[in-house]
Amino acid sequence: MKTIQRIERAAPAPRKRLRVAAYARVSVESERMRHSLSAQVSYYSARIQKHPEWEYAGVYADYGISGTGTAKREAFQEMLAACEAGRIDLVLTKSIQRFARNTVDLLKTVRRLKELGIEVYFEKENIRTLSGEGELLLTILASFAQEESRSISENIKWRVKKRFEQGIPNGRFRIYGYRWEGDTLVIVPEEAAIVRRIFQNFLDGKSRLETEREFAAEGITTRNGCRWVDSNIACVLRNITYTGNLLLQKEYIEDPITKKRRKNRGELPQYLVEHTHEAIIDQATFDYVQKEMARRKALGPLANKSLNTTCFTGKIKCGICGKSYVHDYWNNRNKIECWTCGSKKIKGGSCGAKGDIPHKILLQECAAVLGLPSFDEAAFLAQVEKIVVPERRVLVFHMKDGRQIERRWVSTAKRDCWTPERRQAASEARRNRVIHRADITCFTGHIKCTACGRNFQRDANGGRIPYWRCDGRDAPGLREDVLRAMIAEVMGLPAFDETAFSEQMERIEFHAPSKLVFVFKDGRQASRTWVKPKKTMPRRTEEQRRRMSEAAKGRWKKRREQS
């Protein structure tokens, strides 16, 4: 009989809703652009939430930031982080220009999202990045967007150049000592006084470092409340604006994509606009300061009076890293003067150059190269251009007449350090130092053998009574307990005293075959004949007697059991 079974149709599994986010951006900060950005955010929020198969994952928006880079776009970085965390499946954006104007950044970002399975949809161009032809179209259109950005940048540069030609600055820049009132720079009296003091200090021969220290000691700060440092002071000294004139286009943007700024060193024309505002520093003073700065720069560290410089400062160069050797001192008791590679003074830095140059050796080698009996500073500066250190203990002198002279020197540092005063101090320290060793006592180094000149050494040899012995064949062993009693008798003491022995006794001389001469520190001497003491067996203690008795009984019991 046939059996008919009804098969119910399985209900289809509900499709997973896509988590959709959107990205919006405007590059110009203005009221109109702010409304445009708000409109984009509202549009995408409504569109995502109305779609039945989409789940709202947020709208990310950057305001007033260029699309030529991604590092400074915080909202863009937040969106990428959400994608990496797996919280987004689809990204909507108005156009390629809104997403990125840099072709490399655009393709790199899109490819990374593609690896994560995340699609980007560009509405204006109707491009989906997960489609087959999506990346090809994206590359072409992104190149157009990048070139459009470059074109806009060139147009802006042209407009700025025309403003410069008319003597109009590009915006209201900040400068210490002035404030803007309308289109005119007006002096701030209390700040102008600081500017004049900076110039006056420089005219008085003070370095920028000395001015920095003065201001720090007096609590003088910048407009933002920060400490005056060398770079700030240098900017003030070089700024022509303090003369009442404006120099336009001192900097320029090298590339519209990287936005890297460079100082204008003649690559583009500059424009000097005279008498635009009241001066703080007169032109003659400013010109003199510029010449003086150039002169000090040529002199290098020698021009800075606040530094402890010598004729060797800036003259000794490391052959490995190229840095100058600096004046230093070895960290020891004598504080020996030396020269070391400047890379060692940088925190965590070292070029690998080994060994310092003692100042004494440097003077000797310079005198030898110059053919003089002693070092002469004037002759050194007149004849030597620089000294290069290619390896340890090698000096290559580059003379001003073009010659190169190589010198190899030998270190005498240890010998120089070991002065008679230091040697005596070390000896005293050794004598007074307490050393906790079984073979070293108050007799160590004080018992001399006149036959061989050696010291007697302590020999405990595992016994109860130690002996003092010499390697010489004719010298007997001196038993320590007998020796102590003899010394006490010689010194007139009831018992031996180590402190008294160390303070009064210079040495004990042994003269073969059995004579001992006791030499006191005050010059007195006393002689005694050493008589070899008889060997005596020590009396057993009660505990030893008990153990021996028990051992004997045990042996006797064991023999009886065996028999």
Side-chain angles (χ1 to χ4, degrees):
M1 183 177 177
K2 294 182 179 180
T3 303
I4 301 173
Q5 183 179 2
R6 182 176 178 177
I7 301 174
E8 299 289 344
R9 181 181 178 185
R15 294 182 60 184
K16 183 181 178 181
R17 298 174 67 192
L18 288 177
R19 293 165 295 181
V20 182
Y23 178 74
R25 180 189 63 82
V26 292
S27 57
V28 180
E29 292 186 5
S30 66
E31 193 64 28
R32 184 172 65 86
M33 290 294 102
R34 187 182 294 276
H35 286 304
S36 173
L37 185 64
S38 300
Q40 291 183 53
V41 172
S42 301
Y43 165 74
Y44 282 116
S45 297
R47 180 180 175 186
I48 295 171
Q49 293 177 20
K50 288 179 181 179
H51 201 290
E53 297 181 356
W54 288 355
E55 179 182 334
Y56 181 75
V59 176
Y60 300 86
D62 283 309
Y63 174 65
I65 302 177
S66 172
T68 54
T70 61
K72 296 182 180 180
R73 289 194 276 166
E74 295 181 0
F76 188 80
Q77 294 296 333
E78 290 178 9
M79 181 188 70
L80 295 182
C83 292
E84 293 282 352
R87 298 196 298 268
I88 298 175
D89 300 318
L90 173 64
V91 177
L92 305 178
T93 187
K94 181 179 179 182
S95 64
I96 294 174
Q97 296 177 359
R98 298 301 96 199
F99 199 77
R101 283 185 177 271
N102 187 328
T103 306
V104 175
D105 287 342
L106 175 65
L107 294 179
K108 182 180 178 181
T109 303
V110 167
R111 286 170 181 169
R112 175 55 185 160
L113 295 179
K114 192 173 182 179
E115 291 176 0
L116 298 173
I118 300 171
E119 186 176 48
V120 183
Y121 176 57
F122 301 93
E123 284 191 317
K124 182 179 178 180
E125 295 83 5
N126 193 25
I127 296 176
R128 294 182 177 274
T129 56
L130 294 184
S131 63
E133 69 281 358
E135 185 167 332
L136 175 61
L137 295 173
L138 196 62
T139 304
I140 297 172
L141 295 176
S143 300
F144 289 152
Q146 180 172 310
E147 288 307 311
E148 181 184 359
S149 178
R150 194 181 299 276
S151 177
I152 292 172
S153 177
E154 293 299 327
N155 292 338
I156 294 174
K157 285 183 179 179
W158 180 86
R159 178 166 58 86
V160 171
K161 179 183 176 183
K162 291 301 180 183
R163 288 173 60 87
F164 287 161
E165 290 175 351
Q166 297 172 14
I168 304 172
N170 185 30
R172 297 182 179 181
F173 53 87
R174 293 185 65 191
I175 177 172
Y176 188 83
Y178 289 99
R179 70 172 183 272
W180 285 96
E181 288 187 1
D183 294 331
T184 307
L185 285 171
V186 178
I187 290 178
V188 179
E190 57 274 14
E191 294 182 356
I194 300 301
V195 172
R196 294 189 185 98
R197 182 173 172 182
I198 291 173
F199 275 87
Q200 189 59 50
N201 279 2
F202 195 82
L203 294 174
D204 291 341
K206 294 182 179 179
S207 66
R208 299 196 296 264
L209 182 59
E210 288 176 298
T211 300
E212 176 186 335
R213 290 171 179 169
E214 277 186 16
F215 287 0
E218 297 176 23
I220 299 174
T221 61
T222 63
R223 183 179 294 176
N224 294 333
C226 300
R227 172 175 173 158
W228 280 95
V229 294
D230 179 81
S231 57
N232 303 132
I233 297 171
C235 287
V236 170
L237 293 172
R238 294 192 180 101
N239 200 331
I240 197 175
T241 307
Y242 294 115
T243 63
N245 307 313
L246 286 179
L247 182 62
L248 306 179
Q249 198 157 257
K250 291 187 285 188
E251 293 182 343
Y252 67 96
I253 295 177
E254 182 182 32
D255 185 80
I257 304 301
T258 61
K259 304 290 185 182
K260 189 172 184 179
R261 301 182 71 87
R262 288 190 177 275
K263 287 188 176 182
N264 187 0
R265 305 185 186 277
E267 294 85 356
L268 295 176
Q270 292 182 327
Y271 304 89
L272 179 63
V273 187
E274 298 181 335
H275 311 301
T276 58
H277 54 279
E278 186 179 355
I280 295 177
I281 303 298
D282 61 88
Q283 187 67 45
T285 300
F286 181 81
D287 292 340
Y288 176 80
V289 167
Q290 305 316 301
K291 292 179 182 178
E292 179 63 13
M293 289 181 72
R295 186 189 72 84
R296 294 186 189 184
K297 183 178 181 181
L299 286 176
L302 296 174
N304 194 338
K305 296 179 181 179
S306 63
L307 299 177
N308 183 21
T309 59
T310 71
C311 61
F312 297 115
T313 303
K315 288 267 190 181
I316 309 174
K317 302 292 182 180
C318 178
I320 300 175
C321 65
K323 291 187 178 296
S324 297
Y325 271 56
V326 296
H327 207 188
D328 201 0
Y329 291 91
W330 282 345
N331 186 21
N332 58 29
R333 298 175 185 175
N334 292 337
K335 200 176 181 180
I336 294 180
E337 200 174 357
C338 67
W339 292 82
T340 185
C341 179
S343 63
K344 296 181 182 179
K345 294 296 182 180
I346 302 172
K347 185 176 181 180
S350 179
C351 67
K354 296 181 179 179
D356 301 331
I357 307 172
H359 187 72
K360 176 183 175 181
I361 295 291
L362 186 60
L363 295 178
Q364 292 175 357
E365 295 299 324
C366 289
V369 168
L370 297 173
L372 300 174
S374 61
F375 177 74
D376 184 83
E377 183 175 324
F380 173 79
L381 293 174
Q383 299 183 43
V384 180
E385 180 68 29
K386 63 180 178 179
I387 303 173
V388 178
V389 187
E391 57 183 289
R392 188 178 185 184
R393 297 182 183 175
V394 176
L395 302 175
V396 180
F397 289 80
H398 292 251
M399 312 302 286
K400 291 187 177 180
D401 58 7
R403 293 179 297 141
Q404 292 187 15
I405 304 173
E406 181 177 310
R407 299 281 300 182
R408 294 181 178 270
W409 55 274
V410 178
S411 176
T412 59
K414 291 184 178 179
R415 185 171 67 246
D416 295 341
C417 291
W418 201 242
T419 60
E421 295 80 9
R422 189 175 177 188
R423 186 187 298 274
Q424 183 178 0
S427 298
E428 291 292 334
R430 281 197 297 269
R431 290 193 191 100
N432 299 327
R433 185 170 64 240
V434 178
I435 302 177
H436 300 285
R437 279 175 50 183
D439 59 334
I440 297 178
T441 70
C442 60
F443 297 139
T444 303
H446 288 78
I447 307 176
K448 306 283 185 181
C449 178
T450 57
C452 64
R454 298 179 182 178
N455 293 328
F456 276 59
Q457 305 294 328
R458 193 171 192 258
D459 180 16
N461 198 25
R464 294 184 179 87
I465 303 176
Y467 279 74
W468 287 85
R469 306 181 188 277
C470 178
D471 292 339
R473 296 179 180 177
D474 297 333
L478 306 179
R479 212 169 87 175
E480 187 171 295
D481 59 340
V482 178
L483 183 63
R484 284 171 175 263
M486 185 179 291
I487 294 172
E489 183 267 324
V490 169
M491 296 180 67
L493 301 174
F496 177 78
D497 188 336
E498 287 191 10
T499 304
F501 174 82
S502 299
E503 291 176 352
Q504 300 180 33
M505 193 69 67
E506 178 69 29
R507 65 184 179 276
I508 302 172
E509 297 178 353
F510 176 80
H511 298 263
S514 59
K515 182 180 178 182
L516 290 177
V517 177
F518 298 87
V519 181
F520 289 82
K521 290 183 178 181
D522 58 6
R524 293 181 296 119
Q525 293 186 5
S527 300
R528 296 289 186 275
T529 300
W530 178 261
V531 179
K532 186 177 180 181
K534 296 180 180 180
K535 290 185 178 180
T536 57
M537 294 298 293
R539 296 179 63 85
R540 295 191 180 98
T541 63
E542 292 298 327
E543 179 64 23
Q544 290 174 335
R545 290 175 181 276
R546 186 184 60 80
R547 286 202 304 267
M548 293 180 66
S549 177
E550 290 177 356
K553 289 178 181 179
R555 288 195 298 271
W556 177 254
K557 183 178 180 181
K558 186 176 181 180
R559 288 176 184 175
R560 290 188 63 181
E561 291 175 353
Q562 290 177 354
S563 62

